[in-house]
Amino acid sequence: MDALDILVKHDIKPSLQRLAVMEYMLTHFTHPTVDEIYSSLSPSIPTLSKTTIYNTLSLFEEQGVVLYLGIDKKNARFDGNTSHHAHFRCKNCGAIVDIFNQKQEEIVLEGHPELVIDDVQTYYTGYCKNCKK
Amino acid sequence: MDALDILVKHDIKPSLQRLAVMEYMLTHFTHPTVDEIYSSLSPSIPTLSKTTIYNTLSLFEEQGVVLYLGIDKKNARFDGNTSHHAHFRCKNCGAIVDIFNQKQEEIVLEGHPELVIDDVQTYYTGYCKNCKK
DNA sequence: ATTACATTTGTAATGATTACAATTTTATTT
DNA sequence: AAATAAAATTGTAATCATTACAAATGTAAT
């Protein structure tokens, strides 16, 4: 499924800018920041504004086509892979690693039937291969 | 175990300010922001500076006496309860709820023996009792 | 075409956090 | 106890990601 399909399926009007951002997210599973996306797309779309990247990612997140990651204290990061997985961040070098082999959590939390859970994010922190002593 | 004990045990020199912050964290498990802590302590310590709250919480976090919570996009939040538990945030009212009945995760992630895990944070988002339709 | 509506853009404002130098407090040495 | 050194606190200014907003542009509808 390509960028256009995903946008259409989620009732997002596929403008040039939105398609470019979606396409970027589908080819860069690097948990990019707004700046990284902007810097990468700006040369090919010279009129592009950083505000558009913010607007677009905000819209994408509301529609569930990207995931907002709060794992990084400094910047928001985004993930084009919306399937269930966790993330690891190295405290030394900042690398972010996908963690896939996790069992799916219960959607309804035991002991909290009053809460409606829409999303779960799990963030591990520690040291990666290169940074552990 | 009171505030003084905890600081001494973690090699943190117990200044007036640090004791006040630690005491606050041990009596307010509300996941407070820096501003909330500052506003609460400022009247009784008139010379208190907000920078001191930042410095103190940063030190506390390094020493593992409080937990940094990245669950809130706007502000850093802190938790004086460092035992294993998750957090839920209501998308509507912003309420943060402790989630205790979780099984402890594996410390070494299956499939990622190269990573040294120091910490795990799990953030649920959705709607609380009052905000669900 | 013309009008209405949605999207994009650029600039300015916001606001949490950090940097840093000066001051104050605490510990150490003579 | 005074003098010195070290640590902690304070206040102000800088940083910088994000948001607000109004103007401009693009797209759809009448």
Side-chain angles (χ1 to χ4, degrees):
Chain A
M1 211 161 61
D2 67 359
L4 179 61
D5 295 335
I6 294 177
L7 297 192
V8 169
K9 177 161 295 187
H10 287 83
D11 295 312
I12 297 169
K13 223 171 282 182
S15 69
L16 177 76
Q17 292 84 346
R18 289 170 178 172
L19 277 169
V21 173
M22 192 70 243
E23 179 65 25
Y24 184 90
M25 297 306 291
L26 292 177
T27 50
H28 300 79
F29 293 100
T30 52
H31 319 100
T33 64
V34 166
D35 265 40
E36 286 165 358
I37 300 169
Y38 176 76
S39 299
S40 176
L41 299 181
S42 186
S44 51
I45 308 175
T47 63
L48 188 62
S49 166
K50 206 177 282 186
T51 301
T52 298
I53 307 291
Y54 276 102
N55 290 342
T56 300
L57 290 169
S58 174
L59 175 66
F60 283 8
E61 200 221 340
E62 282 166 23
Q63 299 304 323
V65 305
V66 301
L67 242 43
Y68 169 90
L69 300 186
I71 198 174
D72 187 340
K73 237 177 262 210
K74 297 267 176 195
N75 303 306
R77 292 183 172 275
F78 295 88
D79 197 339
N81 179 2
T82 56
S83 69
H84 181 73
H85 66 290
H87 294 92
F88 167 90
R89 181 178 50 80
C90 177
K91 283 192 226 178
N92 184 246
C93 71
I96 295 178
V97 179
D98 285 305
I99 307 291
F100 288 108
N101 37 348
Q102 262 205 156
K103 353 184 199 330
Q104 174 85 37
E105 324 254 338
E106 298 295 321
I107 298 293
V108 176
L109 289 171
E110 299 160 36
H112 291 279
E114 81 280 11
L115 300 178
V116 178
I117 310 295
D118 285 357
D119 185 57
V120 192
Q121 286 294 315
T122 301
Y123 301 137
Y124 295 87
T125 44
Y127 295 95
C128 72
K129 191 174 188 172
N130 298 331
C131 295
K132 71 181 167 190
K133 292 157 295 296
Chain B
M1 211 161 58
D2 67 359
L4 179 60
D5 295 335
I6 294 177
L7 296 192
V8 169
K9 177 161 294 188
H10 286 84
D11 296 312
I12 297 169
K13 223 171 281 180
S15 69
L16 178 75
Q17 292 84 346
R18 288 169 178 173
L19 277 170
V21 173
M22 190 72 241
E23 179 65 26
Y24 184 90
M25 296 306 292
L26 292 177
T27 50
H28 300 78
F29 294 99
T30 52
H31 320 99
T33 64
V34 165
D35 264 40
E36 285 165 359
I37 301 170
Y38 176 77
S39 299
S40 175
L41 298 181
S42 186
S44 51
I45 309 176
T47 64
L48 188 63
S49 167
K50 205 176 281 185
T51 302
T52 298
I53 308 291
Y54 276 102
N55 291 341
T56 301
L57 290 170
S58 173
L59 176 66
F60 284 6
E61 199 220 340
E62 282 166 21
Q63 300 304 321
V65 305
V66 301
L67 243 41
Y68 168 90
L69 301 186
I71 198 174
D72 187 339
K73 237 177 265 213
K74 297 266 177 198
N75 303 306
R77 292 184 172 275
F78 295 88
D79 196 338
N81 178 2
T82 56
S83 69
H84 181 74
H85 65 290
H87 295 93
F88 166 91
R89 180 177 51 80
C90 177
K91 284 192 226 179
N92 185 245
C93 70
I96 295 179
V97 179
D98 285 306
I99 307 290
F100 287 107
N101 38 348
Q102 261 203 158
K103 350 183 201 329
Q104 174 86 35
E105 323 255 338
E106 298 295 320
I107 299 294
V108 176
L109 289 172
E110 299 160 36
H112 290 278
E114 80 282 10
L115 300 178
V116 179
I117 310 295
D118 285 357
D119 187 58
V120 191
Q121 287 294 317
T122 300
Y123 301 136
Y124 295 86
T125 43
Y127 294 95
C128 72
K129 190 172 187 171
N130 297 333
C131 295
K132 70 181 171 191
K133 292 158 294 294

